[in-house]
Amino acid sequence: MAKKKDEPVTIKSPEELPIFGHREAILEHIRTHRVTHIQGETGCGKSTQVPKYIMEDAEAARKSGKSSGQTKIVVTQPRRMAAITLAKRVASELDEDIGKTVGYKISGDSVSGKLCFATTGFLLQVLVNQPEEFGTYTHVI
């Protein structure tokens, strides 16, 4: 059934998103492969939850002494507003202000964070003009 234009948007908690049931399989694949392809419907949690899973997994590995736990994640988005909105959503889910763990980078504006939402255009400019910067990311989503 199609949603009517005037119906309120319901924001689901992370546990209610379709991707939640695939968390461990996704993390296991990421741990053992250089490239992981995740396909899902718009709104299923790919852009908001997968980076959080990676950070949580890295922190668990750090606590158990298996790794340093260092991550620097960039999540690409096609539009400026999407990058900013998703950064704010993830920061809110982490109960943090934007700029602590989560940031965004768009042309003309940036807020630092070890999890960064960026426009594809911004990331392309980094690749062209600062390829050494691109090499500092542990994960590209």
Side-chain angles (χ1 to χ4, degrees):
M1 179 177 207
K3 187 174 179 138
K4 291 183 181 177
K5 185 175 152 183
D6 58 347
E7 287 184 40
V9 174
T10 304
I11 298 177
K12 296 181 177 183
S13 71
E15 296 79 18
E16 293 177 300
L17 293 169
I19 202 163
F20 185 74
H22 303 282
R23 182 183 190 279
E24 286 308 315
I26 290 168
L27 286 172
E28 183 59 32
H29 199 277
I30 289 170
R31 285 185 210 112
T32 57
H33 297 86
R34 285 182 49 93
V35 176
T36 299
H37 176 87
I38 301 170
Q39 181 176 339
E41 296 289 326
T42 299
C44 75
K46 300 178 301 292
S47 296
T48 59
Q49 302 311 300
V50 173
K52 286 178 19 185
Y53 298 164
I54 293 168
M55 288 191 323
E56 291 164 356
D57 191 54
E59 181 59 16
R62 185 194 66 77
K63 285 182 178 177
S64 69
K66 294 179 183 175
S67 79
S68 69
Q70 295 297 313
T71 57
K72 186 175 178 188
I73 303 168
V74 63
V75 183
T76 62
Q77 292 297 309
R79 290 173 299 287
R80 298 165 57 96
M81 189 51 83
I84 295 169
T85 302
L86 289 176
K88 289 179 179 178
R89 160 105 191 218
V90 172
S92 174
E93 287 180 7
L94 295 172
D95 199 27
E96 295 180 359
D97 291 329
I98 197 93
K100 182 174 180 189
T101 302
V102 183
Y104 61 86
K105 292 186 179 182
I106 59 175
S107 297
D109 191 14
S110 70
V111 176
S112 295
K114 68 180 184 176
L115 166 53
C116 177
F117 289 83
T119 58
T120 50
F122 182 89
L123 193 60
L124 181 58
Q125 288 302 312
V126 170
L127 278 167
V128 170
N129 299 318
Q130 300 170 298
E132 65 284 349
E133 169 71 16
F134 184 78
T136 66
Y137 291 108
T138 60
H139 299 81
V140 178
I141 299 175

